[in-house]
Amino acid sequence: MPTEVDYDIALVGAGPAGTAAALALRGSGLRVLLLDKAAFPRDKICGDAVPGHALKALRQLDPAYVDALWELEPRDEVRRSRIVAPSGASFYMHWNLRTFNSPRLDFDAALLGLVRRFTDTEIRENASLKTLEITPDYAHLHLADGTAITARLVIGCDGANSVVGRRLLPEPRLARAHHSAGVRAYFENVAGTESGTTEFFFSQNYLAGYCWLFPVGAGRYNVGLGMLSELVAQHKVDLKQLLLDTVATHPELAGRFREARQLGPVLGFGLPMG
Ligand SMILES: Cc1cc2nc3c(=O)[nH]c(=O)nc-3n(C[C@H](O)[C@H](O)[C@H](O)COP(=O)(O)OP(=O)(O)OC[C@H]3O[C@@H](n4cnc5c(N)ncnc54)[C@H](O)[C@@H]3O)c2cc1C
């Protein structure tokens, strides 16, 4: 006979995927555990642009979630994108769905706040999943601090380097051709920016990739560069240096960044896209 199980569902990772799953399970009557190796607020390397469809999906769960997120600060409401070609020519795309950019440090903490406020989910921070064992009865989660947890179902929401994915998904887990690398840094005092506008710069120098400039509220900008990982490896591209070179030498950006101040280091992370 199986022993008593600790939880019906264990959600590993409390980023957007894990918190959305916890919100979706509200009222299910199931015992849900949401665990994360970090303590929130925690940073996540990202462009900080919240897709309108993400807010739409949250609204379908409960409009109160989205109403609460619109109270979040800092935040910059986004209405359009400006796309800049290598030639310097540009055009605007206007968005149908209302949305905003906000630093993931704040946005993810706000999502976890919704889980705390609206659900009975048990939340454990500083709880890093080390190994996962599946037996006919349960999933057995072993945490780095030695804690053992059992659950009827485990949902891997632990991001691009998922421990759950490594244990459960068959090889190959990632389509290498669709894997990108991205870097970003925060800046302030960038000239020529327009609130409500995200900007994308394409250049012959970036191979298959682009540079972005996203307002995130409070006069700050998330500035980043993403490129297919295979090209980064093949051409030995130093993405962090390329980002700094780009804002210093790009025909349009160089002037706009002349008086800009960089806030913190350039940081990078993998970006699997399929
Ligand atoms: C440079 C870059 C720019 C991007 N820009 C954008 C953008 O502008 N807009 C957009 O929509 N998307 C963007 N993305 C993609 C976006 O960041 C991801 O799609 C999103 O974060 C995925 O959410 P998630 O909840 O699945 O994982 P994550 O946000 O990565 O969250 C995973 C969570 O799991 C936790 N975790 C990891 N391992 C363990 C473990 N072993 N035990 C316990 N917890 C664990 C982590 O601490 C983390 O909190 C960007 C990505 C990169 C790299």
Side-chain angles (χ1 to χ4, degrees), residues 67-91:
D67 293 344
L69 289 177
W70 274 101
E71 301 293 317
L72 180 62
E73 292 292 344
R75 159 179 60 76
D76 192 280
E77 181 170 352
V78 178
R79 293 175 299 279
R80 63 182 187 173
S81 294
R82 176 172 175 255
I83 316 295
V84 185
S87 66
S90 66
F91 67 94

Side-chain angles (χ1 to χ4, degrees), residues 92-270:
Y92 288 95
M93 283 169 56
H94 294 266
W95 295 18
N96 288 329
L97 292 173
R98 220 182 142 221
T99 191
F100 58 83
N101 302 332
S102 182
R104 290 286 299 273
L105 182 81
D106 306 289
F107 182 70
D108 288 21
L111 286 174
L112 190 59
L114 293 179
V115 177
R116 273 206 183 89
R117 182 172 148 198
F118 288 98
T119 78
D120 296 327
T121 307
E122 184 177 327
I123 297 169
R124 288 197 208 177
E125 300 174 63
N126 294 313
S128 180
L129 178 70
K130 195 171 167 202
T131 56
L132 179 65
E133 187 192 342
I134 307 294
T135 60
D137 298 313
Y138 304 134
H140 301 258
L141 294 85
H142 301 281
L143 306 192
D145 66 3
T147 309
I149 296 167
T150 53
R152 289 184 203 284
L153 182 72
V154 62
I155 303 182
C157 303
D158 45 343
N161 303 316
S162 171
V163 171
V164 179
R166 278 206 299 276
R167 172 66 183 80
L168 298 183
L169 291 178
E171 294 278 4
R173 287 183 293 271
L174 282 180
R176 296 304 309 171
H178 299 150
H179 193 278
S180 282
V183 297
R184 69 100 170 99
Y186 290 106
F187 285 83
E188 63 183 7
N189 211 32
V190 179
T193 54
E194 297 162 88
S195 173
T197 306
T198 55
E199 296 181 84
F200 296 84
F201 295 84
F202 290 84
S203 158
Q204 307 289 6
N205 299 335
Y206 310 149
L207 309 165
Y210 57 84
C211 173
W212 68 81
L213 171 51
F214 294 170
V216 294
R220 296 184 170 195
Y221 298 86
N222 180 318
V223 186
L225 192 62
M227 194 183 285
L228 283 175
S229 302
E230 280 184 347
L231 292 172
V232 172
Q234 193 182 333
H235 295 273
K236 297 189 170 48
V237 181
D238 180 342
L239 270 187
K240 293 180 179 177
Q241 191 56 48
L242 182 59
L243 176 65
L244 296 176
D245 292 347
T246 298
V247 298
T249 62
H250 182 278
E252 178 181 326
L253 292 173
R256 293 175 58 184
F257 275 77
R258 194 160 292 127
E259 305 292 327
R261 271 184 305 280
Q262 186 179 334
L263 308 165
V266 182
L267 296 173
F269 204 70

Side-chain angles (χ1 to χ4, degrees), residues 43-66:
D43 198 9
K44 159 75 178 78
I45 314 305
C46 187
D48 299 334
V50 179
H53 285 280
L55 293 183
K56 187 178 173 187
L58 271 182
R59 186 170 285 286
Q60 283 165 354
L61 292 177
D62 188 335
Y65 301 155
V66 180

